[in-house]
Amino acid sequence: MLKFKTVNIIFFLLGILVLVGMTKAMLPIYAILILVGVWMLVTFIGATNIKMNYFFKSWHAEENNFNQIALTFDDGPNPNSLQILEILKKHQVKATFFCIGHRVDKHPDIAKKIIEEGHTIGNHTYSHAQNMGFFSSKTMLREIESCNNAITAATGKTPFFYRPPFGISNPKIKKAIQITEMQPIGWSVRSFDALLTSKDLIYKNIIRQVKSGDVILLHDDRVLTQEVLERLLIFLKEKNYNLVTIDQLFKSHAYS
């Protein structure tokens, strides 16, 4: 099966051929419009779905025979993170937290506690801006480096893992990642806890698709996540899943 990006390149080249053909044979203009439209749609899907590995390769799942699953939490640290940590501690589970830099600056004690309790911290940019997909390479580089600096100041650790906000990818983000030599991390199971308002829907959305090697995306700044987490941990343990950190799942170092 052709890769997603390969298909898009084929459509792009076909578009050029049709454009050239139009100048010679006066082909219908709708032909080029359809091809350009398909190319734009595929590019949009690739840019907004990190699992596609369209602009750069991310780690989002790892096939293994050990029933390992990685729980990840985005958008902290904040006071709600403390409740998440208590639940994880109660069930003796380790997780990975992708932290926003300005929130680390505001709650350095919570970031430090995450490390002290044996969890892993990753980079989730400094501002987590809504328009991050339009940032220049220089601005993206500053976002990543500023977040790393905040985490290092609070914990003494400099993250190796980077998760782009909203799962967005593009050539400018790719350049910033290459310069900082960080490893992009995606996910294979999205809980939609940042969008859904029903605890049951969030819970069912996870358990209906989870399997060995998955990376589950949650948010530690959401009260609903806290309310779903304990139920989820009980389910995963009943199914004999081993809950690990991202570095354990992918057998990698977590910090530079």
Side-chain angles (χ1 to χ4, degrees), residues 95-161:
T96 303
F97 291 78
F98 289 93
C99 295
I100 300 174
H102 75 83
R103 291 187 172 177
V104 174
D105 282 339
K106 187 176 182 180
H107 303 289
D109 54 327
I110 300 178
K112 186 177 181 181
K113 186 177 179 66
I114 290 172
I115 294 294
E116 289 176 343
E117 297 198 355
H119 305 287
T120 296
I121 280 186
N123 184 311
H124 201 39
T125 72
Y126 189 82
S127 69
H128 200 288
Q130 295 287 333
N131 61 338
M132 188 156 290
F134 300 97
F135 282 5
S136 66
S137 295
K138 184 177 179 180
T139 302
M140 275 308 309
L141 180 61
R142 184 167 62 248
E143 282 280 336
I144 293 173
E145 290 180 336
S146 295
C147 183
N148 273 351
N149 291 339
I151 292 172
T152 302
T155 69
K157 305 284 189 180
T158 302
F160 173 59
F161 300 134

Side-chain angles (χ1 to χ4, degrees), residues 70-74 95-98 163 186 215-219 246:
L71 286 181
T72 65
F73 296 88
D74 285 8
T96 303
F97 291 78
F98 289 93
R163 174 171 281 169
V215 175
I216 300 176
L217 171 62
L218 297 159
H219 293 81
I246 287 293

Side-chain angles (χ1 to χ4, degrees), residues 50-122:
I50 193 170
K51 289 195 294 185
M52 294 294 184
N53 289 335
Y54 190 78
F55 289 103
F56 50 76
K57 182 175 177 57
S58 67
W59 295 348
H60 54 266
E62 174 69 10
E63 292 185 10
N64 63 69
N65 298 318
F66 308 107
N67 277 349
Q68 291 181 328
I69 286 177
L71 286 181
T72 65
F73 296 88
D74 285 8
D75 295 358
N78 64 84
N80 194 62
S81 305
L82 294 174
Q83 303 303 318
I84 298 290
L85 289 172
E86 284 302 310
I87 296 171
L88 294 174
K89 185 176 183 179
K90 174 183 175 181
H91 290 270
Q92 299 181 320
V93 168
K94 305 304 180 186
T96 303
F97 291 78
F98 289 93
C99 295
I100 300 174
H102 75 83
R103 291 187 172 177
V104 174
D105 282 339
K106 187 176 182 180
H107 303 289
D109 54 327
I110 300 178
K112 186 177 181 181
K113 186 177 179 66
I114 290 172
I115 294 294
E116 289 176 343
E117 297 198 355
H119 305 287
T120 296
I121 280 186

